[in-house]
């Protein structure tokens, strides 16, 4: 009897998961992409927070095109060269990864990027859902005719009353 590994075909539980569980057989590997959080900050406002420690503001880029938000980080420093204007030094042990990353998010309809900020090693991207008035559900009033006297269809009611 053969066994098949269907792990690559399993859909992650939800979009708000910070990191997806590692696949079996790959326990020692570090994730190649920066971890992130998706928060709901209001009724129609959201925030994506991406861990970008070690990246300067000029090394990050955010692009919103159609319904896709792409966040990229690219280190411009050499392995043993100058880093951000500092003197040349020799790295004896590299424990802090300086690799580039790219993270893409599919945005729902009518979700727009409002702002982005970098603080304490976290890149915060604020989103807002602005639904046009024509697409919003509207309430239809229901009228009643019970306050008006019943209408007579034929003249038989007048003859009966007389």
């Amino acid at each position: 009897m053969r066994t098949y590994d269907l792990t690559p075909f399993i859909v992650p539980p939800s979009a708000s998961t910070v990191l997806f569980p590692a696949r079996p057989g790959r326990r020692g590997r570090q994730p190649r992409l920066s971890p992130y959080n998706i928060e709901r900050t209001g009724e129609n406002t959201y925030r994506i927070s991406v861990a970008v420690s070690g990246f300067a503001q000029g090394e990050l880029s955010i692009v919103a095109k159609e319904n896709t938000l792409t966040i990229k980080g690219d280190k411009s420093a050499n392995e043993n060269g100058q880093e951000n204007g500092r003197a040349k030094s020799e790295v004896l042990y590299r424990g802090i990864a300086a690799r580039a990353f790219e993270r893409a998010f599919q945005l729902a309809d009518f979700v727009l990027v409002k702002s982005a900020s970098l603080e304490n090693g976290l890149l915060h991207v604020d989103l807002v859902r602005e639904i046009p008035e024509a697409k919003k559900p509207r309430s239809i009033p229901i009228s009643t005719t019970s306050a008006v006297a019943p209408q007579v269809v034929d003249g038989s009611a007048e003859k009966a009353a007389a």
Side-chain angles (χ1 to χ4, degrees):
M1 181 174 182
R2 292 185 179 185
T3 60
Y4 297 100
D5 182 19
L6 300 176
T7 307
F9 302 108
I10 296 174
V11 177
S14 71
S16 62
T17 304
V18 175
L19 287 174
F20 300 123
R23 295 192 310 184
R26 296 186 173 204
R27 292 184 179 250
R29 293 185 68 183
Q30 294 291 326
R32 293 189 309 172
L33 301 173
S34 294
Y36 65 94
N37 289 344
I38 299 176
E39 305 170 59
R40 183 179 205 157
T41 57
E43 185 176 344
N44 288 322
T45 57
Y46 303 90
R47 174 178 266 192
I48 298 173
S49 299
V50 182
V52 292
S53 62
F55 287 89
Q57 184 175 354
E59 298 170 335
L60 297 169
S61 69
I62 302 171
V63 176
K65 184 177 180 184
E66 296 173 0
N67 284 353
T68 303
L69 173 69
T70 305
I71 300 172
K72 293 181 185 180
D74 190 16
K75 290 297 271 184
S76 60
N78 294 337
E79 184 107 359
N80 284 323
Q82 287 189 347
E83 292 189 20
N84 298 329
R86 285 186 256 152
K88 189 173 185 176
S89 64
E90 181 181 353
V91 177
L92 300 176
Y93 173 76
R94 184 167 301 277
I96 299 173
R99 61 179 160 243
F101 74 92
E102 180 176 342
R103 176 71 78 176
F105 298 93
Q106 287 297 114
L107 300 178
D109 291 337
F110 311 115
V111 174
L112 303 173
V113 178
K114 189 168 84 172
S115 65
S117 63
L118 180 65
E119 58 183 63
N120 299 329
L122 291 175
L123 177 65
H124 300 292
V125 180
D126 293 318
L127 308 169
V128 63
R129 181 188 302 175
E130 294 180 354
I131 301 173
E133 287 295 323
K135 300 284 184 179
K136 286 184 181 178
R138 44 182 195 142
S139 177
I140 309 298
I142 302 172
S143 63
T144 59
T145 57
S146 61
V148 181
Q151 293 181 355
V152 178
V153 176
D154 58 278
S156 61
E158 291 177 17
K159 294 178 186 176

